[in-house]
Amino acid sequence: MLKDIDKREKFVRLAEGRTQSALDAIRKLGNLSNRRAYEYSDSDVKKIVKALRDATSDIERKFGSTATDGVDKFKL
């Protein structure tokens, strides 16, 4: 029983920190929308949004079933 509590506490601690880091990174991506400071195309935006959607879909699949670990790198 104690082992299960330790696993739960570890999960909560790591999940909160990693989720906050992911949210911070997404907010920073939003800062790139300033057209006065950056130049980008609609295609660039679509690629970014697709990569984020694919990543969240992958998380849902992983929590829903056992999946193989694949590390994808994002590139424009």
Side-chain angles (χ1 to χ4, degrees):
M1 188 72 133
L2 184 61
K3 189 175 182 181
D4 290 338
I5 293 170
D6 291 341
K7 285 183 176 182
R8 174 67 185 161
E9 288 174 356
K10 183 177 180 180
F11 174 81
V12 169
R13 179 176 47 84
L14 291 173
E16 287 177 348
R18 291 177 185 182
T19 301
Q20 189 59 55
S21 294
L23 292 171
D24 292 343
I26 291 169
R27 283 187 201 100
K28 289 177 184 176
L29 277 171
N31 292 342
L32 295 174
S33 66
N34 181 348
R35 287 212 181 252
R36 288 190 225 188
Y38 306 104
E39 183 177 320
Y40 56 89
S41 68
D42 287 342
S43 174
D44 294 333
V45 174
K46 287 178 183 178
K47 287 178 184 178
I48 292 167
V49 171
K50 183 181 181 324
L52 293 171
R53 284 191 180 133
D54 289 349
T56 55
S57 293
D58 189 44
I59 291 169
E60 289 177 318
R61 277 192 300 278
K62 285 182 178 183
F63 275 103
S65 66
T66 57
T68 59
D69 284 344
V71 178
D72 297 327
K73 296 288 183 186
F74 174 75
K75 291 188 177 185
L76 284 177

